[in-house]
Every structure is written in C-alpha cells, then in structure tokens.
Amino acid sequence: MLLHLFKLSFSALVFVHLITPAIAATYNVTSTNCLGSDSITEAISLANANPGEDTIEISSGISISGCGPLDPRAPFYLVITDSLIINGNFSTIRGFNDWLTPNGNLSPLYPDDESCPSQAVGWKFIGASNGLFQIGEYQTDNSGLVVKVNDLFVEKMSMLAEVEDNASLELTRVFTNKITSLLSSCQAPLIFANPGADISIESSLFQKSKSWSTLPPSVKGMIKNSGSSPQSNSELLIKNSTFDANYQKAAIVWRGDVNIVSSKLYNSGGLFFYDGTANLINSIVFQDGRLNGRDRDWIFVWDADLNVIASTLSFGHTSCDKTLFPTTCVSPNWPNFDFVNRSLIMSFLSGSISFKESAVQVRLPSFGDEQQPLMRAYDASTITADANTFIQPVPLQDATALETLTSQPSLLTGSPSMPVLANEVELLQTYPPSVVTPIISQSSTPGILIDAIDNAGSGQINELLDHEGNPITTDALGNPRVDSNDRRNIGAVQTTLSPHLIVSGIDNGLVQLAWSKPIDPVGGALTNYDVCYGSGASPDPVALGTSCSGTLQVIANMPDTLSGDVSGLTNGTKYWFLVRANSAGGASPWSNVVEETPYGPIAAPVITATPKYNQVDLQWGHIDAGGKQVSHYIVKWRIQGTDNWLGFKQVELPNNGMINVGTTIKASVTNTEHTLGTYYEYAVFAQTTDGDNGERGFATVPTTAELGKAETGTKKGGGSLSFVLLLGAILVFRVRKLTTLLSKPLLLVSTLALSTFSQAEETGSDKYKGFTVDLGLGVSYLSPDLDATDWEQDKKAQPAFGFGIGYQFDENWSVDISYHWLNHVKLQSDNLNYPETELHYHMLSGNAKYRLNQLWGNNYAPFVMLGVSHLDVTVSGSSSLIEEDKNTQIDYGIGINLSDTDLGKVDLSWKKVTGDVQLLEIRVVVDITD
C-alpha cells in the first residue's frame, strides 16, 4: 500500500513538472556594439535558447552599430526563433548603407532613380548592411511565434524585417529612416511576409526608404507578402501610422486581408490588393503627381474587395506626360496590359471598390497632354460610391461619367469641395494638411464636404468605427473627428476652430510652417494668423488660453495664406511652434504644438595637400556643421578634369569627436595605382550623424616620383652638426708582459675610462712604451638626414660606451683600435608609409698618433691623428627606407697634452670622420711603476 502511494506521488510530481511553463526572462542590452557582451545579438541568442516569451530591454536612447557587413548568405543580423518582446526605449539601431555615385554624390535618394548602387557602373560602396530582423525560421511552420518591437529607431539597413511562414510581427512606435534595399539586387522590400505571416504596425513612422526594383509595382512593394490565389491567410494592420517620402513603386502589395486605419501615406507608392478584403478607414493617401508616369500612384484591386471609408485620396493629375516620362507612360513590363488607357484607380476580375463618405481629389485636373480617366472597372469588377462621397471630375471623365461608373446619381462632384490648384508650380509646392483640407466656403457658399455627415457623435447612427467596431475619435491629422454639433466632414480631415499645424521644412536659422484653414471664429471672417514659438519644454495649447509663453508675431496676413516662415533662429536648437487664426471678433484657439530644429549649411573644409609617392597628405580644420554633429569625413579622389571618382576613404574624428571648430584633422591617402606626375583632385566633405553631407572642399596636386629615404652614414650623420662626446680618464701602469697586465689591479677613475701599458724602463724614450687598454663612457647624439621623409626623430642625447686596445712605441708614436656603442634613434611619423623605425649606431676606428714634444717638451705638446673609421647602423623597422652612405671613411684629428707628470698624462683631442661625425675626448694617463 505504501509503495503504491509512493508511486502515485512520484507520478504526480513528474506530471506537475512536465506541465510547468517555462519561466520568462528579461535580458538587458547596454552595449552600443551590435556584437559581443551585453549586446543586442547576445540578448536575442539567449532569448532564443530560453523557451517562452522573453523580454529584451535596450538602454534608453543608446545608438547601436557595428552589426557587420552585407552578407547575402545570412541576410539578417537578428534571427528570432521564439516569441519575444523588444522594448527599444527609443534607442537606435544604425546600419551603414552608403554609396558614392560617379559624380561624387553620397547616398542620393531620387524618386525617379532606377540605378541600383550595387549594379550601376562607376558607383562605389562606402558601406552596406544586411536586413535587421528575421522572424522565425525559413520554410518552417512558425505558428505561435509572435515578436513585438516597441519604441525603436532603425536607420540605414537594407530591410527592416522578413517574417517567415505563419509567424507574427507587431511594431509599435517604430521609426525607420533611409532603409535602402541593397539585398536581392536592390529589390528587397522594407518588410516581407511569407505565407501565413501577419504584420501589425501601429503609431509608427516609415520615411525615406528606397527600392530600385525594375519589376512592375504589382510585384514589388515597400510592405509585401508572398502567396497565391485563392486568398492568402495573411493579415496586415496599419494604424495611426505615417509613411512619408518612401521612393517605392508601391507602398503595399498584399494578398489577404488589409486594414489601414487613421494613417497617412504620403508619396510612398501605390496600393495593390489581391484577393481578400481591404479597408481604408479615416486615412489619407497623397501622391504629389511627379510619379504618375511611373505607375506608382495607383490604387489597384485584383479580385479583391476594397472599402474606402471616411478617407481622402489626393492625386496630382491624371496625365502621363511623355515629355517628362518618354519611356514609361507605357510600361514594358506588362506587354499584355493596356497602359495607354490606364487610370489611377482600377479594379479587375471580380474585384470591387466601394467609396463611403470619402473624398477623391485631383489637384490639377487640367495638367498634361496625355490625360486619362481617373478610374476604371475592368472585367466583371465594380466601382461604387454612396451619396456622401466626393469624386473630382477630370477632362476625360466628367461628373456624368463618374455618376454612371459608380452607379450613384447623387455623387458629389461640385464645388466648393477640395482645393484645386492653378498651375504645376503649385502642384509641386503644396503638401498636406492644407491641400487635403476641405474648403470651408467660397464667398457665401458653404463647402459641400463640411459637416455633411450628421448624427456622427458617440453612440449615434453615423458614428465612425474602425474595422473591429471601435469608435474613431480623431481625424487622420489628430483633430477631433466630430464637431460640437455631432457632425463630421466627408473625407479624413475635420475642420475645426483651430488650425492644424505641421513643419513643412527647415533652412538656415529658419523653420517653415504650414497649417489647415480653420472655421471662421465667432465675431467675423478670418483676417490673419499668429505664431507663438520658443525653445525648451513645449506648452499645453489649451492651458495657454489667449496668451503666448514665447515670442508672438504675425506669420501670415491673408486668411487663405496657409504657410509661413519663422526666421532668426539658432541652428541646432529645438523650438516649439503654435499657430492661431485672428478675426475682428478675436482669436481662435491655439493649434496643436509642433517641434523642429533648424540647421544651417554644412561648410566645406579648406584643404592643404602635400604630395608624396603614391600618397597625398591632407589636412583641414574641423568645419561648422550648421548645428549638426559631424560623424566623420569622406575623402575621395579622381584625375583632374575627369568625372569619375577613383576611390574614397572615411576619416574618423580625433578625440572621439570631442573637438572644436578649427581643430586640425589630418589624413593620408595612399594609392599605388596613381600615375606618376599626373594631377589628382581630392575632395573632402563632412557627414553628420543623421547622414547628411556637407559641401566639398577641393585640392589638386601631382604624384611624386618616389618615397623619400632617410640617409645615414659618415657623410650623413645628421641634418646638423652632430658630436660624440667621450670624457675619459686613462689609468696607465707598466708591465713586463701582457700576462702581467692581466694580473695587476685596475684603478677606475670617475668610472669613465681605463688604459694600461707595460713599462720597459722608467727613463728615456721607453718611458711610455707598451700596450694600452681603454674603456670609455660618455654621451652621444647622432641623427640621420630626414629632410626627404616624414619621419621625426626623438631629440635625446644618450649614453655612449667605448672599448679600445693599442700600443705606444715611444714618446711620439702610438696606434690604437677602438669600438664605440653610440646612441640609438627612434623615428616616428603620422604617415602610414613611414612606420616606426629605430637606428642603432656603432663605430669601429683604427688610428695612429704622433706627439710633437720637440717643440717645448711633453707638457702642452700638440699631437695629430690619422686613421680609418667605420660607422655601422643597425635598423629595426623599415630598412628599405634607410639608405647608408659610405660608412667607411678616413678620419683625422688634433689634440694637445694638458698635463704630463710622473703619474701620467691628460690629453684633449678632437677627431672628425669625413662628413659630420665628430669625436671629442679627454684622456688621463696615469703612470704606475712596478
């Protein structure tokens, strides 16, 4: 019985253990490097290994870089294989996609450019990065895998993410900038979803992404999934988000269900929906009209159902201008499709497009010679509209044609409705919000889109709801969606008593503002607009009332002038701005607050160039970046008078960038392919931390014949007169034999030198006859000739040692052989062609000496010396740049006896080796008898 109970207990324990869920973990990222300890890659690796939904917390505001170069074999840096939450805390992950065009432009992004940087002739890469996230495992069922990314900035990658089969990616407050497709022959999208994968994007901003796809827009989009008919089970949600200035053929290409809610898609390509149901609710799609000839502005429905609800579609025109786009009005990519008769809004097969309470605007309907109808339904597809929809008639599709197409005889097509522009200049200069805001009135005629939807308040029959039935309380710009009378406008923009303000541009010490025209305030028609601005913390517009907590000034003097500039600002300082409208009866409430930082021009460096063999040394002063922070400098070069740049080099700032304007920056450019004697043009410009490029500074210099060499030897001992100074005391004693010498005690005077000799007799000419041995200690300073090089020598005299042996024949003649260990020299340079090198000097000498004691005796007797010296140089380092010049030379010298006593002699001598090596010695000779 007990055994049975034990077995039951054990089994129960095992069962409980098996069903206990994995413990979620939190991993902190503190490193600014993509790799290594405490890095984002390490955190994801740990999270992948720990089952269950983990969390990664990135330190607030840090900038992460260094994920590695472009590698098509492993195209994503961060591969996530288990459910995960990444809280970016408004940090940045930054790649390094940069390239140089043949004309010297750095990383340009043009709307109509189709030149893939990795394939275009003459383009050079400065850096290239992979995509950032891979969600799930490729060609694997990743059901249940959900990755959530919050509060993160991503810049200069090739892709943001690829979501594998049946996985999900949720992006909240994710901000991308300059995601440029350098993968898949420059045709990779910003986000790609494989079959069954879902994507959710909320409160995010995607701007300045670029794909150089040569395929039709129906195939390549900024956000795209794979799949085939029948309907894919993938879902896409875009909510409260903005796409702005993304140079793509299509913003969205999706098979399956799509919901776009309270979002803005500005100049980011067309919308292509296949199969499924797509809802465009309370959103703005704005195309500036420059790209119509490249089939990028289309709303394209293929066997799908598109519901356009309380939204605004704004197109520039319906023309395909063959003057501007001679080859692309008719696309060669779809030979079976009638591009000559294409329209901006199209449905095919059994698809449908339904407009409800929406506005379709053509801002310049009369523009161009190749005008087309605004919309068409092909095959068995349909386009319908309710009586509260406005569609702008165009020359080839008037109001009657639109009423017939949409099966809506009460379709709104008149005015005043949406703004219509006067000319092409206005077409390219106008931008939301003013141009997509319904006209309030003209003269005494009210705008037909204003407050057209009644009973739109909370809980009422026409309350605006999203795709899930949730109330929508703000318009696409963030204004209240319903007026106090419980009515709302047709389209996605609600007019209010206060303007809606945006920043439309910046310049040197200047911020450009634009706003929507509000409803006339109580007391009369609008007269002008005020701006209130300042720096520091932005105020609450409601709390301000009628006051201004900063600088107050009139920004526009006419009621229909909906833009203006604020000048006199400090570059690099963040400012806040508010606008209000004025009338005879008072002022409107303040607008929403916006913030912006003005920046000035990024100055061109003033360059000094010094040519060397296969090298040019450049230097310039650190420039004023107009309020921005310089990240590094780019140096590039080409043959003078040609267009193509041959190479480039990135130069980092000294002292980690903590330098002042004017600080000298140096760089050496080495290129063994330079042609000798040819003049080359060098350009230097700054690149800021946000990727902007400064003006270029130029210098032109020729290449030289060869690298200069340091010369060393008895003819080139130094660039100036150099000395070897040996101060010696010579101790002399007489011995009968050499073996006797070795047995005698040695007396070292001043620890400088020691000399011995053997004594034959103490009187007569043999008094000093015998062998001598010398030991010497002194100081030495020898230098090679560095004039032709970039080396600099350390300026230090160093100890020198000497050893010699000789023989004295009589009072007049003697000979000796000596060896000296002299100073060593350290050569250093900032020029990479001149690496650190050391020279060690040694000298071997053989000399004969004759004393002229016949003049006035031994005391103060002069003497002369003649011999041969060999200067030996040992090189540690770049020996190929050291040239030894005639190291063996005749030497000669003179001297004088300072004292001659029974104890010995004191001599002063000077000797010169041919060239400029000289030796100065004091020798003390002490006589010690047996």
Side-chain angles (χ1 to χ4, degrees), residues 159-176:
M159 286 181 67
L160 177 61
E162 179 173 307
V163 188
E164 307 300 349
D165 297 18
N166 301 316
S168 295
L169 174 62
E170 299 178 10
L171 304 174
T172 303
R173 294 179 300 279
V174 172
F175 310 93
T176 69

Side-chain angles (χ1 to χ4, degrees), residues 175-484:
F175 310 93
T176 69
N177 184 43
K178 296 183 180 178
I179 305 298
T180 50
S181 172
L182 301 182
L183 289 169
S184 303
S185 301
C186 294
Q187 301 190 58
L190 179 76
I191 302 175
F192 181 76
N194 276 299
D198 298 332
I199 296 173
S200 170
I201 302 168
E202 294 196 40
S203 304
S204 296
L205 170 63
F206 297 160
Q207 61 181 354
K208 294 184 180 179
S209 68
K210 174 71 174 178
S211 171
W212 290 267
S213 174
T214 56
L215 298 175
S218 60
V219 179
K220 292 295 180 183
M222 184 172 71
I223 299 176
K224 177 185 182 298
N225 73 339
S226 65
S228 58
S229 299
Q231 175 183 344
S232 169
N233 61 348
S234 294
E235 295 184 3
L236 172 63
L237 171 65
I238 301 172
K239 187 175 182 179
N240 296 320
S241 295
T242 300
F243 296 3
D244 189 14
N246 296 286
Y247 304 131
Q248 308 280 353
K249 284 194 172 180
I252 297 169
V253 176
W254 198 266
R255 296 181 182 272
D257 292 341
V258 179
N259 291 288
I260 304 173
V261 182
S262 300
S263 294
K264 302 181 288 291
L265 289 78
Y266 296 162
N267 290 330
S268 293
L271 306 178
F272 290 75
F273 303 114
Y274 295 82
D275 311 316
T277 299
N279 295 307
L280 183 67
I281 305 172
N282 196 44
S283 295
I284 301 172
V285 177
F286 174 86
Q287 309 287 17
D288 65 8
R290 286 179 290 186
L291 305 182
N292 281 357
R294 293 187 176 271
D295 42 294
R296 296 181 181 178
D297 293 355
W298 295 349
I299 307 296
F300 185 100
V301 175
W302 185 276
D303 212 14
D305 297 317
L306 170 61
N307 301 307
V308 182
I309 303 169
S311 292
T312 299
L313 309 182
S314 180
F315 300 99
H317 53 84
T318 64
S319 173
C320 184
D321 193 324
K322 290 183 178 179
T323 301
L324 296 176
F325 307 109
T327 62
T328 55
C329 285
V330 179
S331 172
N333 297 307
W334 287 6
N336 297 324
F337 187 78
D338 185 4
F339 272 69
V340 175
N341 295 317
R342 66 106 174 103
S343 296
L344 290 173
I345 301 172
M346 296 176 287
S347 62
F348 297 89
L349 299 180
S350 59
S352 68
I353 301 176
S354 171
F355 292 98
K356 179 182 179 182
E357 302 168 355
S358 294
V360 181
Q361 174 191 29
V362 180
R363 301 188 300 281
L364 192 59
S366 61
F367 173 76
D369 298 327
E370 300 292 330
Q371 297 172 0
Q372 302 298 331
L374 173 61
M375 54 182 68
R376 279 196 176 97
Y378 294 88
D379 308 318
S381 66
T382 60
I383 298 177
T384 61
D386 70 350
N388 287 319
T389 288
F390 166 80
I391 301 178
Q392 173 70 52
V394 296
L396 294 187
Q397 199 166 40
D398 60 14
T400 300
L402 289 171
E403 292 168 1
T404 301
L405 176 65
T406 60
S407 302
Q408 181 51 257
S410 300
L411 184 73
L412 299 175
T413 57
S415 63
S417 49
M418 298 291 289
V420 175
L421 306 179
N423 51 54
E424 185 180 358
V425 174
E426 288 189 2
L427 179 67
L428 299 179
Q429 291 181 346
T430 54
Y431 206 71
S434 60
V435 76
V436 296
T437 300
I439 297 173
I440 299 172
S441 64
Q442 288 178 339
S443 301
S444 60
T445 305
I448 63 175
L449 308 187
I450 303 300
D451 286 350
I453 311 300
D454 60 4
N455 298 314
S458 177
Q460 296 182 337
I461 189 172
N462 290 324
E463 181 181 17
L464 185 59
L465 306 175
D466 67 12
H467 61 292
E468 295 179 328
N470 300 311
I472 296 176
T473 59
T474 60
D475 70 359
L477 300 176
N479 298 313
R481 180 69 265 204
V482 179
D483 287 343
S484 58

